[in-house]
Amino acid sequence: MTFNKRVRVAVVGATGQFGHPLTLNLASESADVLAISRAPSAQNEQKLETLKSAGCELGFCSDPSDEAALTRLFDGCTTVVMVTRGLPKSIRTNDPLYLNAAKKAGVRRFVPNEFGCHTLGLETGISELFDAKKAMQSKIEAAGLKKTLIYPGLNSDYCLPNYRFFNEITTFGNLDLPITTHHINDIGVIAAKAILDERTEGKAIQLYHNRLTQQKMLDLLGESWPEHDFPVKHISTESILHDMKEGSDAITAKAGMETDRERAQINYVCYVSGELTNINNPETLNASELYPDYVYRTPKEMLSDPHFVFGQV
């Protein structure tokens, strides 16, 4: 097993939901970490202090179009990791600015905004978001940088049934389709290992440990909380197919960033087509084979945890 730990890694979006645990795990792996956010604020103050305490250097960039400033920020970095909001417009307009600055600064490896569905194997035209991510992959190759794509499947916070992020339990499409889902902390650990691993240069990394159907998720929830009534709303395959093309541009989902149409396109890949993961893609490595000793938190453990399900301490 070969790790390149004596590297300087810049994480753009280091105080975000995915970025924060990823950055902390990079620091715990003994990497030299530059944690980048837009600016200090009351909202990210505590996370910035945590990052400093973990040994990370803090950097700030409020304007990615200032290429000279961004290039100076990346100076000495061997790897740049993008963990900002994964929205089509941002990926098309902002992320190439970071890539250009990374190239000018002599960065070797670029880890783009993925951290979800296996876009490498998807056809174009399914989703505006996935098309933007695929276009970014091509830009990295054209720039001559090595890319590493991290595909964890679904974040369990949003995939497993719970009342912290949703007002009701909702299922989608095919209830019997196996889905890959992992706890956000496990995603942070594996992503950090992969980013520092020389074997992953030019590759995609698929997390493939926790696979279960939505029906199994509901069964585990009921087994853990037999006295609790969990009403379930189901969004049918037909409804998803309709909203993929005819859905609105409003953002109505709780804690959502995507429009209703974009969310339907994502739900199609996750819950209808079965293309959330692609472990057989020739450019893809299985995280469980790369790091066989790592112990993941299981869906059963999460669904029996009152804090995970209800937000209780």
Side-chain angles (χ1 to χ4, degrees), residues 3 8 11 14 22 71 83 93 105-106 110 121 147 156 184 189 214 218 220 288:
F3 292 94
R8 181 167 172 80
V11 182
L22 168 57
T71 301
V83 207
T93 60
F110 197 90
K147 68 177 186 294
S156 294
I184 191 168
V189 171
Q214 291 177 92
L218 295 175
L220 289 173
S288 295

Side-chain angles (χ1 to χ4, degrees), residues 162-164 305-313:
N162 69 83
Y163 283 143
R164 292 178 302 120
D305 180 354
H307 176 70
F308 183 90
V309 176
F310 304 105
Q312 300 173 358
V313 178

Side-chain angles (χ1 to χ4, degrees), residues 15 34-41 44 48 52 57-63 69-70 73 98:
T15 62
L34 174 63
I36 300 175
S37 64
R38 287 189 296 272
S41 67
N44 67 16
L48 289 173
K52 281 184 64 177
E57 179 184 346
L58 302 184
F60 301 98
C61 177
S62 59
D63 181 13
L70 195 55
L73 194 61
Y98 289 99

Side-chain angles (χ1 to χ4, degrees), residues 207-222:
L207 279 72
Y208 205 69
H209 187 75
N210 292 330
R211 282 180 61 78
L212 72 168
T213 67
Q214 291 177 92
Q215 185 59 59
K216 183 61 177 179
M217 295 177 192
L218 295 175
D219 293 343
L220 289 173
L221 185 68

Side-chain angles (χ1 to χ4, degrees), residues 280-295:
N280 295 318
N281 183 278
E283 298 181 49
T284 301
L285 303 175
N286 188 335
S288 295
E289 296 176 357
L290 286 176
Y291 317 112
D293 296 330
Y294 184 74
V295 179

